[in-house]
Amino acid sequence: METTHSRRKFLATALTGTVATIVAPAALHAEDAQSFTAPSVIPGQAFGANDRIRVAVLGINGRGQTHIEEVMKQPNVTVAALCDPDMDILKKQARSFEEKYRQKVSVEQDFRRVYDNRDIDAVTLATPNHWHALQSILACQAGKDVYVEKPATHNIYEGRKLIEAAYRYNRIVQHGVQLRSSAAIREAVRLLNEGVIGRVYMARGLVYRWRPDIGNRGVSRVPEGLDYDLWCGPAPMVPFTRNLVHYNWHWHWNYGNGDVGNQGIHETDLCMWGLNVGLPERITSMGGKFLWDDCKEVPEIQTSIYHYPKQKKIIQFEVRNWCTNREDGADVGNLFYGDKGYMVIRGYGSYETWLGEKREKGPSNQTPDELTEHFRNWFDAIRARDMSLQNGPVETGHLSSALAHLGNISCRLGRQLTFDPVAERFVGDEDANRMLTREYRSPYLLPEKV
């Protein structure tokens, strides 16, 4: 069955001029970049309602363990393979899996062997950010559907190529922003569109997380069992340090994107969804390290402003990593402001509204299990071969990640930036344009022709 390319109103608005640019014939016939051996391109399988979907989970030290649990909850779906460049972690998690689920699971240290396995139908990616887009694109080429953790990309250019790959190979690429599958949050966005708080002109995203001093552990020997070359992949292969492996890579630019590009992707996504906007024209971001003298490169505290002058809308985004107030009970969440009231969204599954000058209580709701629903939605779309069923389609992965990247570029350059959201280029700033992509370490190169 051919994949349906219909889209919701949000995507039609947010991606005006963008999808046409990304999937135009000229882009689809660009010259190949030299790259390491990719898996052979195989046709996607059409699934019936009773066909069992076999999934491989890539990256199983942290978030990947949650992926395993969620996949195994789903009917007629199974985890068939685990993959991680750290063989010690791989063996440990395989033993745990077999004890818990009473079934065997294959293990692979190199994800390319997983992609060459025709018995694997889909993959979930909980690898570090710098691998997300390249592993997703290669999975599409190999005929695998993809669930990719946020952020879907490490830089803006990768998002364009990821969309191109999903369309070219008719793959169901689901972005791991599970609040899009929350019944309460979907209701909240519907109410915003219907005018429950009037004309919505501003959104705030909040990431107030407890992030302590991580110190500086210096350089050490590569642990036995870790394929460090494969862990680094397209990023520079610096001397091994526990400052990076296995979690604190989030706070180093070559591998992570700071908290706005970590937890914050859920909130950037909801800011754009609730305001019904795409990428902004003006970006200002400022921040720094004010608390710890540790090895983190990214800001501890960061404030970003995204301005949409034509739409008369604005996004404010706050990252704080230590002692702070909450905002109407929200520390990780969103606020929306209209001319008749405001809405508070806490976490991934609840909202409240407050109306008028006297802040009278308006509609509210709370629903559970958004992550389980998000995985179920992915598998439903896979079985139907229908992108229009997705709650977190590939385009949202590009846009929500790109908003975070724009703020980080402004913060790192220390100046306000003007951006063309259709061309996805900065206006008159080549320093900023160079930061739209990265240098890829050979042989792990992002292909020009996906």
Side-chain angles (χ1 to χ4, degrees):
M1 183 184 301
E2 291 297 315
T3 303
T4 301
H5 289 165
S6 61
R7 281 293 178 264
R8 301 169 185 78
K9 180 181 177 182
F10 162 72
L11 293 178
T13 302
L15 287 161
T16 300
T18 304
V19 168
T21 302
I22 293 170
V23 300
L28 292 176
H29 296 289
E31 292 298 318
D32 279 315
Q34 291 184 346
S35 62
F36 72 106
T37 303
S40 57
V41 176
I42 58 177
Q45 178 179 347
F47 294 93
N50 296 319
D51 291 333
R52 199 175 203 200
I53 299 175
R54 294 169 55 85
V55 178
V57 179
L58 278 61
I60 56 172
N61 184 54
R63 184 63 172 173
Q65 295 172 39
T66 303
H67 284 202
I68 294 168
E69 293 172 359
E70 292 299 331
V71 170
M72 293 301 289
K73 289 179 184 177
Q74 302 296 331
N76 220 11
V77 179
T78 192
V79 172
L82 303 177
C83 181
D84 197 285
D86 191 323
M87 185 56 73
D88 289 347
I89 289 173
L90 191 55
K91 290 178 180 178
K92 176 183 176 181
Q93 294 303 331
R95 286 194 301 269
S96 176
F97 179 92
E98 292 174 4
E99 290 171 2
K100 181 174 182 178
Y101 297 106
R102 303 298 179 187
Q103 68 180 61
K104 291 291 185 181
V105 65
S106 69
V107 296
E108 290 288 358
Q109 192 171 25
D110 190 331
F111 74 93
R112 290 166 290 188
R113 295 194 183 96
V114 173
Y115 288 9
D116 284 335
N117 184 348
R118 293 173 181 249
D119 291 330
I120 299 298
D121 304 306
V123 298
T124 76
L125 304 181
T127 50
N129 296 4
H130 67 282
W131 260 120
H132 285 181
L134 182 54
Q135 286 180 328
S136 296
I137 289 168
L138 294 175
C140 291
Q141 291 179 333
K144 318 295 186 190
D145 297 302
V146 179
Y147 184 105
V148 57
E149 268 300 334
K150 45 73 188 169
T153 67
H154 188 257
N155 60 65
I156 291 173
Y157 178 71
E158 288 179 344
R160 300 170 66 90
K161 304 308 288 185
L162 179 54
I163 294 175
E164 185 181 324
Y167 275 77
R168 184 181 183 96
Y169 299 104
N170 287 335
R171 294 296 89 205
I172 305 299
V173 178
Q174 181 92 319
H175 189 217
V177 283
Q178 61 266 23
L179 53 74
R180 282 183 167 265
S181 290
S182 163
I185 302 306
R186 294 173 70 82
E187 177 181 283
V189 173
R190 175 179 60 79
L191 290 174
L192 289 174
N193 290 335
E194 292 174 355
V196 66
I197 61 171
R199 185 183 69 82
V200 184
Y201 61 89
M202 182 170 72
R204 281 178 55 76
L206 311 179
V207 177
Y208 301 166
R209 300 293 300 269
W210 197 254
R211 305 293 191 193
D213 187 333
I214 65 171
N216 188 336
R217 302 182 65 178
V219 174
S220 58
R221 295 179 60 183
V222 177
E224 186 176 350
L226 174 65
D227 186 334
Y228 185 54
D229 174 75
L230 194 58
W231 186 93
C232 292
M237 191 173 175
V238 300
F240 178 83
T241 173
R242 290 291 184 185
N243 292 337
L244 300 175
V245 181
H246 275 292
Y247 185 79
N248 286 328
W249 53 264
H250 279 292
W251 322 127
H252 297 263
W253 292 120
N254 281 326
Y255 315 93
N257 305 92
D259 238 346
V260 68
N262 179 32
Q263 169 64 54
I265 299 301
H266 296 289
E267 288 70 44
T268 60
D269 183 58
L270 188 50
C271 281
M272 300 168 78
W273 188 18
L275 281 184
N276 197 26
V277 295
L279 296 178
E281 292 185 46
R282 297 173 64 192
I283 306 101
T284 304
S285 183
M286 187 175 295
K289 296 180 64 176
F290 302 98
L291 292 168
W292 316 130
D293 184 21
D294 61 10
C295 68
K296 289 194 293 286
E297 297 173 347
V298 304
E300 297 164 344
I301 308 298
Q302 185 176 5
T303 299
S304 303
I305 307 295
Y306 305 94
H307 188 201
Y308 300 80
K310 293 185 178 65
Q311 297 94 330
K312 295 185 178 180
K313 295 180 180 181
I314 194 167
I315 293 173
Q316 300 176 351
F317 206 95
E318 290 277 351
V319 172
R320 302 177 194 168
N321 73 339
W322 204 239
C323 303
T324 184
N325 61 296
R326 293 178 174 177
E327 300 193 22
D328 257 16
D331 49 13
V332 172
N334 294 78
L335 294 94
F336 292 92
Y337 301 85
D339 61 0
K340 295 180 181 178
Y342 70 96
M343 176 182 287
V344 181
I345 293 177
R346 302 183 185 97
Y348 309 98
S350 72
Y351 77 90
E352 293 181 327
T353 55
W354 306 93
L355 306 177
E357 183 178 1
K358 296 183 178 180
R359 298 178 70 251
E360 296 176 352
K361 189 168 176 55
S364 63
N365 197 4
Q366 180 174 352
T367 55
D369 300 327
E370 62 278 345
L371 184 57
T372 299
E373 291 301 319
H374 205 50
F375 273 90
R376 179 177 294 122
N377 172 254
W378 179 46
F379 290 118
D380 287 346
I382 288 173
R383 293 189 188 281
R385 304 309 314 155
D386 188 348
M387 289 182 184
S388 71
L389 297 179
Q390 289 182 258
N391 292 338
V394 64
E395 294 92 340
T396 67
H398 170 45
L399 291 171
S400 59
S401 304
L403 193 71
H405 300 327
L406 289 171
N408 281 336
I409 292 171
S410 172
C411 189
R412 295 176 73 181
L413 290 175
R415 57 178 174 264
Q416 184 177 118
L417 301 172
T418 301
F419 188 70
D420 182 337
V422 175
E424 294 190 1
R425 300 277 295 175
F426 294 100
V427 178
D429 196 325
E430 287 310 306
D431 289 338
N433 282 326
R434 280 190 288 271
M435 298 177 75
L436 292 171
T437 185
R438 71 175 307 157
E439 290 188 15
Y440 291 82
R441 184 174 69 95
S442 182
Y444 307 99
L445 305 181
L446 188 75
E448 291 182 13
K449 179 182 177 182
V450 301

